[in-house]
Amino acid sequence: MPHPMRSPQSTPEITPRARTLTAGFVPSLNQGFVLIEEEESGAARSWDVWVEPFLSEPSFVEAWVSDAEYDYWQNASDPLEFEAAGKSVDQLPLVSNGLPAPLDQMIVDTSSNPGRWIMRDGYIEAVGSTMWLGEKFFECVGKEGNGTGLDDDVLSISSPKHGILKIENKSGPFINVESSTIQNYLRSALYN
């Protein structure tokens, strides 16, 4: 049933192919989150419609679109995950997990992966092929929220709502490391 304060056009359509996987709160990092995953590409239809209800919330920080499979392997660090999936870690950089014996082990070093996520206080350092960034995001990272300085040859920059910056990669989704140049550029522009 549509929300009484929203038109049917602005209500996200929930289909069997689009589902909410996780919603929660991480108190130690001041983060609340909703994770929505598509079963099939295009099932969510318009991510703008899905994110729109959150953009007006004063506590809105960020939202982004990413490829779940690509993101998973960009952030996987346990060699057992790779082994279980039939993937080798032989060519991947390994580092110690920093734990004392007998818990110490070598793990995959994801610190240079362009699609890595880093949990920060109040936000997640991540990049997506489409991102919505609120005023709270820019307060957290200590930057101006107007998009000045972002390369509009490779990025489409708009403001769908007051206090919200939308950034879209003109080349499409980040699905492999072939888009690492734009991912690293975007990460540097937003977080450094």
Side-chain angles (χ1 to χ4, degrees), residues 83-177:
E83 184 181 319
K87 296 177 181 273
S88 172
V89 296
D90 292 343
Q91 302 301 313
L92 299 175
L94 299 175
V95 296
S96 169
N97 65 1
L99 296 174
L103 303 174
D104 59 322
Q105 70 173 23
M106 297 302 285
I107 60 171
V108 175
D109 181 3
T110 62
S111 66
S112 296
N113 289 357
R116 69 191 178 275
W117 292 13
I118 303 171
M119 302 289 280
R120 304 284 190 195
D121 188 17
Y123 69 102
I124 299 173
E125 180 182 314
V127 295
S129 55
T130 302
M131 300 180 75
W132 296 264
L133 307 171
E135 291 174 342
K136 293 270 188 206
F137 172 85
F138 292 103
E139 288 172 18
C140 288
V141 300
K143 299 251 183 176
E144 292 293 320
N146 55 14
T148 303
L150 292 173
D151 186 347
D152 60 5
D153 288 335
V154 294
L155 300 170
S156 173
I157 301 156
S158 63
S159 182
K161 226 177 213 0
H162 177 71
I164 302 293
L165 183 69
K166 181 180 177 186
I167 302 169
E168 293 180 274
N169 177 33
K170 290 181 179 178
S171 300
F174 301 148
I175 57 172
N176 56 42
V177 293

Side-chain angles (χ1 to χ4, degrees), residues 45-81:
R45 304 223 171 115
S46 169
W47 286 110
D48 288 307
V49 172
W50 281 92
V51 78
E52 192 278 329
F54 299 99
L55 299 181
S56 298
E57 292 296 320
S59 60
F60 175 78
V61 178
E62 63 188 324
W64 67 92
V65 175
S66 63
D67 181 87
E69 180 79 6
Y70 174 69
D71 267 12
Y72 180 83
W73 292 111
Q74 285 287 287
N75 292 283
S77 61
D78 189 337
L80 293 176
E81 293 175 278

